[in-house]
Amino acid sequence: MTSGEDVDPRVRQLGEYIRLQRQMADLSLRGMADLTNVSNAYLSQIERGLHQPSLRVLQAIAEALNIPPDTLLAAAGVVSGAADQPAGSRAGTEAAIRSDPDLLPEEREALLRIYRSFVEARTPSA
């Protein structure tokens, strides 16, 4: 096997995004392993793009990072939220807030809460 060439670029992109979000949350790999009940060795392989995580593992990672699973996938380019639902731009906005390196983690969370409160106030209940 060739080391970097057999890796699906979407899987690598997802892993890089997960690593970035974990680092911005100031969470160690071991800490995320504890929160997700997934081994830190497997999480490391996911972050390096060597394994495509199952839906259960993605859900656990999303919960540990406090990211909606669809936002996690859309931000990584695995699914296109905009094609299926108008909330795609919302996912993009949340991803932009989460990935802004100039904001502290507390500032990101505050902005996300404010943004969600504005959006949810306009969303009709089903």
Side-chain angles (χ1 to χ4, degrees), residues 1-46:
M1 283 192 162
T2 44
S3 57
E5 297 175 18
D6 292 339
V7 178
D8 182 336
R10 292 174 300 167
V11 175
R12 185 179 318 118
Q13 185 178 4
L14 175 61
E16 290 170 359
Y17 181 76
I18 290 170
R19 177 183 290 130
L20 176 66
Q21 294 302 313
R22 178 181 59 76
Q23 290 171 339
M24 288 190 327
D26 198 26
L27 189 61
S28 69
L29 199 56
R30 187 174 302 266
M32 183 139 100
D34 290 341
L35 291 173
T36 59
N37 292 320
V38 175
S39 75
N40 57 342
Y42 186 63
L43 288 172
S44 174
Q45 291 174 345
I46 291 170

Coordinates of all heavy atoms in Angstrom, one line a residue, residues 1-46:
M1 N 0.8 -1.2 0.0 CA 0.0 0.0 0.0 C 0.9 1.2 0.0 O 1.8 1.3 0.7 CB -0.9 0.1 1.3 CG -2.1 -0.8 1.3 SD -3.1 -0.4 2.6 CE -4.6 -1.1 2.1
T2 N 0.5 2.2 -0.8 CA 1.1 3.5 -0.7 C 0.6 4.3 0.4 O -0.6 4.3 0.6 CB 1.0 4.2 -2.1 OG1 -0.3 4.1 -2.5 CG2 1.9 3.7 -3.1
S3 N 1.4 5.0 1.1 CA 1.0 5.6 2.4 C 0.0 6.7 2.2 O -1.0 6.7 2.9 CB 2.2 6.1 3.2 OG 2.9 7.0 2.4
G4 N 0.2 7.7 1.4 CA -0.8 8.8 1.4 C -1.7 8.8 0.2 O -2.7 9.5 0.1
E5 N -1.4 8.0 -0.8 CA -2.1 8.0 -2.1 C -3.4 7.3 -2.0 O -4.3 7.5 -2.8 CB -1.3 7.6 -3.2 CG -0.1 8.5 -3.4 CD 0.9 7.9 -4.5 OE1 0.5 7.1 -5.3 OE2 2.0 8.3 -4.5
D6 N -3.6 6.3 -1.2 CA -4.8 5.5 -1.1 C -5.9 6.1 -0.2 O -7.0 5.6 -0.2 CB -4.5 4.1 -0.6 CG -3.7 3.3 -1.6 OD1 -3.7 3.6 -2.8 OD2 -3.0 2.3 -1.2
V7 N -5.6 7.2 0.4 CA -6.5 7.8 1.3 C -7.5 8.7 0.5 O -7.1 9.5 -0.3 CB -5.7 8.7 2.4 CG1 -6.7 9.4 3.3 CG2 -4.8 7.8 3.1
D8 N -8.8 8.5 0.8 CA -9.8 9.3 0.2 C -9.7 10.7 0.7 O -9.6 11.0 1.9 CB -11.2 8.7 0.6 CG -12.4 9.4 -0.1 OD1 -12.2 10.6 -0.4 OD2 -13.4 8.8 -0.2
P9 N -9.6 11.7 -0.3 CA -9.4 13.1 0.2 C -10.5 13.6 1.1 O -10.3 14.4 2.0 CB -9.3 13.9 -1.1 CG -9.7 13.0 -2.2 CD -9.6 11.6 -1.7
R10 N -11.7 13.1 0.9 CA -12.8 13.5 1.8 C -12.6 13.0 3.2 O -12.9 13.7 4.2 CB -14.2 13.1 1.3 CG -14.6 13.8 0.0 CD -15.8 13.2 -0.6 NE -15.5 11.8 -0.9 CZ -16.5 10.9 -1.1 NH1 -17.7 11.2 -1.2 NH2 -16.2 9.6 -1.4
V11 N -12.1 11.8 3.3 CA -11.8 11.2 4.6 C -10.7 12.0 5.3 O -10.7 12.3 6.5 CB -11.5 9.7 4.5 CG1 -11.1 9.1 5.9 CG2 -12.7 9.0 4.0
R12 N -9.7 12.4 4.5 CA -8.6 13.1 5.1 C -9.1 14.5 5.5 O -8.7 15.0 6.6 CB -7.5 13.3 4.0 CG -6.2 14.0 4.6 CD -5.1 14.2 3.6 NE -4.8 13.1 2.8 CZ -4.9 13.1 1.4 NH1 -5.3 14.2 0.8 NH2 -4.7 12.0 0.7
Q13 N -9.9 15.1 4.7 CA -10.5 16.5 5.0 C -11.3 16.4 6.3 O -11.2 17.2 7.2 CB -11.3 17.0 3.9 CG -11.8 18.4 4.1 CD -12.6 18.8 2.9 OE1 -12.9 18.1 1.9 NE2 -13.1 20.1 2.9
L14 N -12.1 15.3 6.4 CA -12.9 15.1 7.7 C -12.0 15.0 8.9 O -12.2 15.6 9.9 CB -13.8 13.9 7.5 CG -14.6 13.5 8.8 CD1 -15.6 14.7 9.1 CD2 -15.4 12.2 8.5
G15 N -10.9 14.2 8.7 CA -10.0 14.0 9.9 C -9.3 15.3 10.3 O -9.2 15.6 11.5
E16 N -8.9 16.1 9.3 CA -8.3 17.4 9.6 C -9.2 18.3 10.3 O -8.9 19.0 11.2 CB -7.8 18.0 8.3 CG -6.6 17.3 7.7 CD -6.2 17.8 6.3 OE1 -6.9 18.7 5.7 OE2 -5.2 17.2 5.7
Y17 N -10.5 18.3 9.8 CA -11.5 19.2 10.4 C -11.8 18.8 11.9 O -11.8 19.6 12.8 CB -12.8 19.1 9.6 CG -13.9 20.0 10.2 CD1 -13.8 21.4 10.0 CD2 -14.9 19.5 10.9 CE1 -14.8 22.2 10.5 CE2 -15.9 20.3 11.5 CZ -15.8 21.7 11.3 OH -16.8 22.5 11.8
I18 N -11.9 17.5 12.1 CA -12.1 16.9 13.5 C -10.9 17.4 14.4 O -11.1 17.8 15.5 CB -12.3 15.4 13.5 CG1 -13.6 15.1 12.8 CG2 -12.2 14.9 14.9 CD1 -13.9 13.6 12.6
R19 N -9.7 17.2 13.9 CA -8.5 17.6 14.6 C -8.5 19.1 15.0 O -8.3 19.5 16.1 CB -7.2 17.3 13.9 CG -6.0 17.7 14.7 CD -4.6 17.5 14.0 NE -4.3 16.1 13.9 CZ -4.0 15.5 12.8 NH1 -3.9 16.1 11.7 NH2 -3.7 14.2 12.9
L20 N -8.8 19.9 14.0 CA -8.9 21.3 14.2 C -9.9 21.7 15.3 O -9.7 22.5 16.2 CB -9.2 22.1 12.9 CG -9.4 23.6 13.0 CD1 -8.1 24.3 13.4 CD2 -9.9 24.1 11.7
Q21 N -11.1 21.1 15.2 CA -12.2 21.4 16.2 C -11.8 20.9 17.6 O -12.0 21.6 18.5 CB -13.5 20.7 15.7 CG -14.1 21.3 14.5 CD -14.3 22.8 14.6 OE1 -14.9 23.3 15.5 NE2 -13.9 23.5 13.6
R22 N -11.1 19.7 17.6 CA -10.7 19.2 18.9 C -9.6 20.2 19.5 O -9.7 20.5 20.7 CB -10.1 17.8 18.7 CG -9.5 17.2 20.1 CD -8.9 15.9 19.9 NE -7.8 15.8 18.9 CZ -6.6 16.2 19.2 NH1 -6.3 16.8 20.3 NH2 -5.7 16.1 18.2
Q23 N -8.7 20.6 18.7 CA -7.7 21.5 19.2 C -8.3 22.9 19.6 O -7.9 23.4 20.6 CB -6.6 21.7 18.1 CG -5.7 20.5 17.9 CD -4.8 20.6 16.7 OE1 -5.0 21.4 15.8 NE2 -3.8 19.7 16.7
M24 N -9.2 23.4 18.9 CA -9.8 24.6 19.2 C -10.7 24.5 20.5 O -10.8 25.5 21.2 CB -10.7 25.2 18.1 CG -9.8 25.7 16.9 SD -10.7 26.6 15.6 CE -12.3 25.8 15.5
A25 N -11.2 23.3 20.8 CA -11.9 23.1 22.0 C -11.0 22.8 23.2 O -11.4 22.5 24.3 CB -12.9 21.9 21.8
D26 N -9.7 22.9 22.9 CA -8.6 22.6 23.9 C -8.8 21.3 24.6 O -8.8 21.1 25.8 CB -8.6 23.8 24.9 CG -7.3 23.8 25.7 OD1 -6.3 23.3 25.2 OD2 -7.3 24.3 26.9
L27 N -9.0 20.3 23.7 CA -9.3 18.9 24.2 C -8.2 18.0 23.6 O -7.9 18.0 22.4 CB -10.7 18.5 23.6 CG -11.3 17.2 24.1 CD1 -11.5 17.2 25.6 CD2 -12.6 16.9 23.3
S28 N -7.6 17.3 24.5 CA -6.5 16.3 24.1 C -7.2 15.1 23.4 O -8.4 14.9 23.6 CB -5.7 15.8 25.3 OG -6.6 15.0 26.2
L29 N -6.4 14.4 22.7 CA -6.8 13.2 22.1 C -7.4 12.2 23.1 O -8.4 11.6 23.0 CB -5.7 12.6 21.2 CG -6.1 11.6 20.2 CD1 -7.1 12.2 19.2 CD2 -4.9 11.1 19.4
R30 N -6.6 12.1 24.2 CA -7.1 11.2 25.3 C -8.4 11.7 25.9 O -9.3 10.9 26.2 CB -6.0 11.1 26.4 CG -6.3 10.1 27.5 CD -5.1 10.0 28.4 NE -3.9 9.6 27.7 CZ -3.5 8.3 27.6 NH1 -4.2 7.4 28.1 NH2 -2.3 8.1 27.0
G31 N -8.5 13.0 26.1 CA -9.8 13.5 26.6 C -11.0 13.3 25.7 O -12.1 12.9 26.1
M32 N -10.7 13.4 24.4 CA -11.8 13.1 23.4 C -12.1 11.6 23.4 O -13.3 11.2 23.3 CB -11.4 13.5 22.0 CG -12.6 13.3 21.0 SD -12.8 14.6 19.9 CE -12.0 13.9 18.5
A33 N -11.1 10.8 23.6 CA -11.3 9.3 23.7 C -12.2 9.0 24.9 O -13.1 8.2 24.8 CB -10.0 8.6 23.8
D34 N -12.0 9.7 26.0 CA -12.8 9.4 27.2 C -14.2 9.8 26.9 O -15.2 9.2 27.3 CB -12.2 10.2 28.4 CG -10.9 9.6 28.9 OD1 -10.6 8.4 28.6 OD2 -10.2 10.3 29.6
L35 N -14.4 11.0 26.2 CA -15.8 11.5 26.0 C -16.6 10.7 25.0 O -17.8 10.6 25.0 CB -15.7 12.9 25.5 CG -15.3 14.0 26.5 CD1 -15.1 15.3 25.9 CD2 -16.3 14.1 27.7
T36 N -15.8 10.1 24.0 CA -16.5 9.3 22.9 C -16.5 7.8 23.1 O -17.2 7.1 22.4 CB -15.7 9.6 21.6 OG1 -14.4 9.2 21.7 CG2 -15.8 11.1 21.2
N37 N -15.8 7.3 24.1 CA -15.7 5.8 24.3 C -15.1 5.2 23.0 O -15.5 4.1 22.7 CB -17.0 5.2 24.7 CG -17.5 5.6 26.0 OD1 -16.7 5.7 27.0 ND2 -18.8 5.9 26.2
V38 N -14.2 5.9 22.4 CA -13.4 5.4 21.2 C -12.0 5.5 21.6 O -11.5 6.5 22.2 CB -13.7 6.3 20.0 CG1 -12.9 5.8 18.8 CG2 -15.2 6.2 19.6
S39 N -11.2 4.5 21.3 CA -9.7 4.6 21.6 C -9.0 5.7 21.0 O -9.3 6.2 19.9 CB -9.0 3.3 21.2 OG -8.8 3.2 19.8
N40 N -8.0 6.3 21.8 CA -7.3 7.4 21.2 C -6.5 7.0 20.0 O -6.3 7.8 19.1 CB -6.5 8.1 22.3 CG -5.5 7.2 23.0 OD1 -5.6 6.0 23.0 ND2 -4.5 7.8 23.7
A41 N -6.1 5.7 19.9 CA -5.4 5.3 18.7 C -6.3 5.3 17.5 O -5.8 5.8 16.4 CB -4.8 3.9 18.9
Y42 N -7.5 4.9 17.6 CA -8.5 5.0 16.5 C -8.8 6.4 16.2 O -8.9 6.8 15.0 CB -9.7 4.2 16.8 CG -10.7 4.0 15.7 CD1 -10.3 3.4 14.5 CD2 -11.9 4.6 15.7 CE1 -11.2 3.3 13.4 CE2 -12.8 4.5 14.7 CZ -12.4 3.8 13.5 OH -13.3 3.8 12.4
L43 N -9.0 7.3 17.2 CA -9.3 8.7 16.9 C -8.1 9.3 16.2 O -8.3 10.1 15.2 CB -9.6 9.4 18.2 CG -10.9 9.1 18.9 CD1 -11.0 9.8 20.2 CD2 -12.0 9.6 18.0
S44 N -6.9 9.0 16.5 CA -5.7 9.5 15.8 C -5.7 9.1 14.4 O -5.4 9.9 13.5 CB -4.4 9.0 16.5 OG -3.3 9.4 15.8
Q45 N -6.1 7.8 14.1 CA -6.2 7.3 12.7 C -7.2 8.1 11.9 O -7.1 8.4 10.8 CB -6.4 5.8 12.7 CG -5.2 5.1 13.2 CD -5.5 3.6 13.3 OE1 -6.6 3.1 13.3 NE2 -4.5 2.8 13.5
I46 N -8.4 8.4 12.6 CA -9.4 9.1 11.9 C -8.9 10.5 11.6 O -9.1 11.0 10.5 CB -10.7 9.2 12.8 CG1 -11.3 7.8 12.9 CG2 -11.7 10.3 12.3 CD1 -12.4 7.8 14.0

